[in-house]
Amino acid sequence: MKKSNWQEKLNEKLYLISALISIALILSITLFIFIKGVPAIKEIGIKNFVLGTKWKAGDGQYGILPMIVGSIYVTIGACLVGVPIGLFTAIYLSEMANKKTADFLRKVVELLAGIPSVVFGFFGLVSIVPLIDKFFGGGGNSLFASSIILGIMILPTIISISEASIRAVPKEYREGSLALGSTHIDSTFKVILPSAKSGILASIVLALGRAIGETMAVILVSGNTPLIPHSIFDRVRTLTSNIAIEMGYAYGLHQGALFATGVILFVFIMIINGVFLVFNRKAGELNDR
Amino acid sequence: MTDKSLQIDHQMNIKIVKEKLIKGIIYFSVFLTFGIVLWILLHIVFNGVIKSGNIDIIGNESILPMIMNTFYIVLLAVSISTPIGIWTAIYLNEYAKDNKLVHLIRFAIQSLAGIPSIIFGLFGMIVFVVGLNLKWSILAGALTLSIMILPIIIKTTEEALKSVPLSIREGSMALGASKVKTIKGVVIPSALPGIIISVILSIGRIVGETAAIYLTAGMVPRAAVSPLDSGRTLSVHLYLLAKEGISFEKAYFTATILVVFILCINLISNRLAKKFSEKLKAN
């Protein structure tokens, strides 16, 4: 009896320690990224680093404003492409499709979610980029191409989370609206969607995080010129690509500046995750009602 | 007809047109989503199959080493992460109470899931490649990826544990089994298909991952023998082929293998999920 009691305790401790590993990991990731990046920011000067418009590693110029702007533009572009398509698809799945069609389409969306990002990038490089070059000129590697590819990549996130939150709206809401004489479309857009707002916003914020953090797909279609783009057909470099492209051969302050780029990216992600948690909690409260 | 009824008629017409337009937009969006997936898959696989004829699959240009390196990293990362993930899920589902610590653990897991792979790559570089002096190696890559897949394993396993009915636990406890014995002897076996799904999903994630591996496992295009050798995985191979534009034929072929692999993973996990839910219903 005593021995088994001791084993029980040991197992419970093992489970607890495993669970604590996640906390240790997130803490050490944050810590190490900042420890490696912050000294470089100090050496370059935070103003020169964040607001500097010139990135020339050879001349010791490390301004990442073009990459910050690039990341923001690309993310907004991805949302412009992905949010409407995703949201309307989610409305179809939850409100209009019969069960068989919905099940099939959901599998298709799952498949889209599983496609590796480098495959998206390669697909963009061989099909989207030449198309843009053909119709608009300029080579095709551009902010526009990145927005389209990222817009496609965030579709599964938008569709699955929005659909779930639309489904979570109580049946009575729709029935009440229909009983008052409004049409199906009317009830969907004026009653159901406003009730599912928090969940839909959560899906968009999560998609923002995906888009701003994506690396390989963007590198292959964006052109990677470290300048602030002035048109959607300009080449663009994001924070993530800046790290991935130059990390292989960087050393000294250059390497530090790349870790510092990681710090800025990390700050963006933390803000986005924080906003997501707020919306998600609101959506959860709504669903619990 | 009076003017007023005409006006109402007119308003109704506008409304009907508007609704039709909205429905049209919805159908168009669904068509786009579906069409895009089809376009990507067909484009890659079609070109991959057609152009593979020109590639010397067994000789110098063989992608077999990349497949082996990918397999190597999958094996290591999964063996590191699976036990930790399962134990965490057991703690969260079977022991955890609604207190601050548990909230913190859940917050940490959620945050881990939201971190971009390039940040994991940086972390892996700092800690494993340089810090532990593993250099660019299969082991450094696997350690980095084991962190990345941890949230997937925990979440999916926890779902599986949750779906095991309480009656099964109570039955085992009533027969005199302890809590740990109940978990190991009854709960885990009932949740096994779900746990296997979690492993399959994380394999998919590893095979498709590029940024984090690129920064930690390096890009030597040879089959790694020791875990301390550097080795290029399939997705890193595709990235380099596409980036340097050396051979789109080989790139298509590599992409096809990746896509077919992901298709298989989807198929297997869907099958398992179906079986699992049927089994639970039978219970």
Side-chain angles (χ1 to χ4, degrees), chain B residues 68-100:
Chain B
M68 284 163 73
N69 289 335
T70 310
F71 185 70
Y72 213 155
I73 290 195
V74 164
L75 199 71
L76 282 174
V78 165
S79 354
I80 297 167
S81 207
T82 308
I84 299 174
I86 293 176
W87 289 333
T88 305
I90 291 177
Y91 179 77
L92 289 175
N93 197 57
E94 311 288 329
Y95 289 91
K97 297 173 187 81
D98 196 22
N99 60 21
K100 272 229 166 89

Side-chain angles (χ1 to χ4, degrees), chain A residues 8 11 18 89 183 186 277, chain B residues 15 19 33 88 107 178 184:
Chain A
E8 292 277 313
N11 270 295
S18 299
T89 305
T183 59
D186 249 0
L277 286 179
Chain B
K15 189 148 198 185
E19 299 224 329
T33 304
T88 305
F107 176 75
S178 66
K184 283 187 181 166

Side-chain angles (χ1 to χ4, degrees), chain A residues 8 14 20 53 78 93 123 146 150 164-165 174 183 220 232 275:
Chain A
E8 292 277 313
L14 177 69
L20 292 176
T53 53
L93 283 175
F123 170 77
S146 318
L150 285 176
S165 63
R174 178 178 308 109
T183 59
L220 290 175
I232 55 168
V275 176

Side-chain angles (χ1 to χ4, degrees), chain A residues 8 11-12 15-16 18 26 88-89 92 110-111 114 118 126 152 183 186 189 216 219 244 247 259 277, chain B residues 15 19 27 29-30 33 41 87-88 91 95 107 110 122 178 180 184 210 214 243 252 262-263 266 270:
Chain A
E8 292 277 313
N11 270 295
E12 202 181 327
Y15 302 147
L16 175 65
S18 299
I26 194 78
F88 281 123
T89 305
Y92 176 78
E110 235 171 76
L111 197 61
V118 64
V126 290
I152 297 173
T183 59
D186 249 0
F189 279 85
M216 281 358 213
I219 292 184
M247 195 47 109
F259 282 116
L277 286 179
Chain B
K15 189 148 198 185
E19 299 224 329
Y27 284 125
S29 302
V30 175
T33 304
L41 293 183
W87 289 333
T88 305
Y91 179 77
Y95 289 91
F107 176 75
Q110 221 163 4
L122 286 182
S178 66
V180 169
K184 283 187 181 166
T210 314
Y214 178 73
K243 184 89 179 68
Y252 270 117
I262 295 298
L263 280 172
N266 255 295
N270 272 331

Side-chain angles (χ1 to χ4, degrees), chain A residues 45-66:
Chain A
I46 183 142
K47 207 178 148 208
N48 287 337
F49 183 63
V50 177
L51 298 177
T53 53
K54 282 208 178 90
W55 177 276
K56 277 183 190 156
D59 300 345
Q61 281 181 304
Y62 302 106
I64 61 159
L65 189 64

Side-chain angles (χ1 to χ4, degrees), chain A residues 4 7-9 11-12 14-16 18-23 25-26 28-30 32-33 36 84-86 88-89 91-93 96 104-105 107-112 114-120 122-123 125-128 131 152 155 159 183-186 189-190 209-210 212-216 219-220 224 240 243-245 247-249 255 258-259 261-263 265-266 269 273 276-277 280, chain B residues 15 18-19 22-23 25-34 36-41 43-44 83-88 90-92 95 97 101 104-105 107-120 122-123 125-127 130 136 147 150 154 178-181 183-184 204 207-211 214-215 219 235-236 238-239 242-243 248 251-252 255 258-259 262-263 266 269-270:
Chain A
S4 78
Q7 273 181 334
E8 292 277 313
K9 281 261 153 60
N11 270 295
E12 202 181 327
L14 177 69
Y15 302 147
L16 175 65
S18 299
L20 292 176
I21 287 179
S22 291
I23 298 181
L25 282 172
I26 194 78
S28 42
I29 289 173
T30 316
F32 277 110
I33 300 286
K36 272 291 205 172
I85 301 177
F88 281 123
T89 305
I91 293 171
Y92 176 78
L93 283 175
M96 294 160 75
F104 174 70
L105 263 173
K107 290 225 168 80
V108 172
V109 173
E110 235 171 76
L111 197 61
L112 186 65
I115 296 177
S117 61
V118 64
V119 173
F120 278 109
F122 177 60
F123 170 77
L125 183 67
V126 290
S127 54
I128 306 279
L131 274 181
I152 297 173
L155 276 178
I159 294 174
T183 59
H184 188 70
I185 293 279
D186 249 0
F189 279 85
K190 294 193 179 140
R210 289 275 148 80
I212 209 167
E214 179 46 46
T215 313
M216 281 358 213
I219 292 184
L220 290 175
N224 300 313
T240 51
I243 302 168
I245 291 172
M247 195 47 109
Y249 56 85
Q255 197 184 49
L258 295 177
F259 282 116
T261 310
V263 171
L265 176 66
F266 202 87
I269 291 293
N273 280 354
F276 169 73
L277 286 179
N280 207 27
Chain B
K15 189 148 198 185
K18 229 172 149 184
E19 299 224 329
I22 291 177
K23 270 193 186 159
I25 294 174
I26 291 177
Y27 284 125
F28 183 63
S29 302
V30 175
F31 166 77
L32 272 180
T33 304
F34 184 68
I36 287 165
V37 181
L38 211 64
W39 184 21
I40 296 176
L41 293 183
H43 179 91
I44 300 277
I84 299 174
I86 293 176
W87 289 333
T88 305
I90 291 177
Y91 179 77
L92 289 175
Y95 289 91
K97 297 173 187 81
L101 180 70
L104 198 65
I105 293 171
F107 176 75
I109 296 166
Q110 221 163 4
S111 307
L112 273 183
I115 290 182
S117 55
I118 188 86
I119 298 275
F120 283 106
L122 286 182
F123 176 73
M125 233 183 114
I126 299 168
V127 174
V130 180
W136 277 336
I147 304 173
L150 196 57
I154 296 174
S178 66
K179 189 161 183 177
V180 169
K181 279 221 175 87
I183 291 170
K184 283 187 181 166
V207 171
E209 179 49 41
T210 314
Y214 178 73
L215 290 183
M219 44 192 137
S235 49
V236 172
L238 172 58
Y239 168 71
K243 184 89 179 68
F248 275 180
Y252 270 117
L258 276 173
V259 165
I262 295 298
L263 280 172
N266 255 295
S269 66
N270 272 331

Side-chain angles (χ1 to χ4, degrees), chain A:
Chain A
M1 196 65 199
K2 197 138 205 199
K3 190 187 158 219
S4 78
N5 214 343
W6 174 79
Q7 273 181 334
E8 292 277 313
K9 281 261 153 60
L10 192 74
N11 270 295
E12 202 181 327
K13 284 274 170 316
L14 177 69
Y15 302 147
L16 175 65
I17 289 168
S18 299
L20 292 176
I21 287 179
S22 291
I23 298 181
L25 282 172
I26 194 78
L27 282 180
S28 42
I29 289 173
T30 316
L31 204 71
F32 277 110
I33 300 286
F34 276 83
I35 286 178
K36 272 291 205 172
V38 169
I41 297 183
K42 271 193 190 145
E43 194 175 335
I44 299 161
I46 183 142
K47 207 178 148 208
N48 287 337
F49 183 63
V50 177
L51 298 177
T53 53
K54 282 208 178 90
W55 177 276
K56 277 183 190 156
D59 300 345
Q61 281 181 304
Y62 302 106
I64 61 159
L65 189 64
M67 278 65 98
I68 295 179
V69 174
S71 276
I72 293 175
Y73 278 179
V74 160
T75 306
I76 294 174
C79 283
L80 291 178
V81 174
V83 170
I85 301 177
L87 191 53
F88 281 123
T89 305
I91 293 171
Y92 176 78
L93 283 175
S94 53
E95 295 289 305
M96 294 160 75
N98 61 35
K99 194 176 173 301
K100 240 186 176 166
T101 321
D103 279 345
F104 174 70
L105 263 173
R106 251 179 244 127
K107 290 225 168 80
V108 172
V109 173
E110 235 171 76
L111 197 61
L112 186 65
I115 296 177
S117 61
V118 64
V119 173
F120 278 109
F122 177 60
F123 170 77
L125 183 67
V126 290
S127 54
I128 306 279
V129 166
L131 274 181
I132 294 176
D133 184 39
K134 197 171 150 196
F135 287 107
F136 305 102
N141 282 304
S142 57
L143 172 57
F144 190 42
S146 318
S147 303
I148 292 177
I149 286 301
L150 285 176
I152 297 173
M153 289 178 74
I154 61 173
L155 276 178
T157 311
I158 307 248
I159 294 174
S160 55
I161 298 181
S162 297
E163 196 212 335
S165 63
I166 295 174
R167 269 180 195 283
V169 175
K171 248 203 306 220
E172 294 79 18
Y173 286 28
R174 178 178 308 109
E175 284 163 0
S177 163
L178 289 174
L180 287 173
S182 45
T183 59
H184 188 70
I185 293 279
D186 249 0
S187 332
T188 303
F189 279 85
K190 294 193 179 140
V191 179
I192 310 284
L193 287 189
S195 315
K197 198 175 67 189
S198 304
I200 293 171
L201 284 175
S203 82
I204 296 173
V205 176
L206 198 62
L208 284 176
R210 289 275 148 80
I212 209 167
E214 179 46 46
T215 313
M216 281 358 213
V218 181
I219 292 184
L220 290 175
V221 297
S222 66
N224 300 313
T225 310
L227 292 171
I228 295 176
H230 294 291
S231 107
I232 55 168
F233 300 111
D234 277 356
R235 289 159 170 260
V236 62
R237 182 188 282 200
T238 61
L239 292 166
T240 51
S241 350
N242 196 39
I243 302 168
I245 291 172
E246 300 191 0
M247 195 47 109
Y249 56 85
Y251 57 89
L253 184 60
H254 184 194
Q255 197 184 49
L258 295 177
F259 282 116
T261 310
V263 171
I264 304 293
L265 176 66
F266 202 87
V267 171
F268 270 105
I269 291 293
M270 283 200 287
I271 295 171
I272 289 175
N273 280 354
V275 176
F276 169 73
L277 286 179
V278 171
F279 282 129
N280 207 27
R281 196 164 301 151
K282 271 193 189 160
E285 279 164 15
L286 187 83
N287 295 351
D288 290 342
R289 246 191 293 185

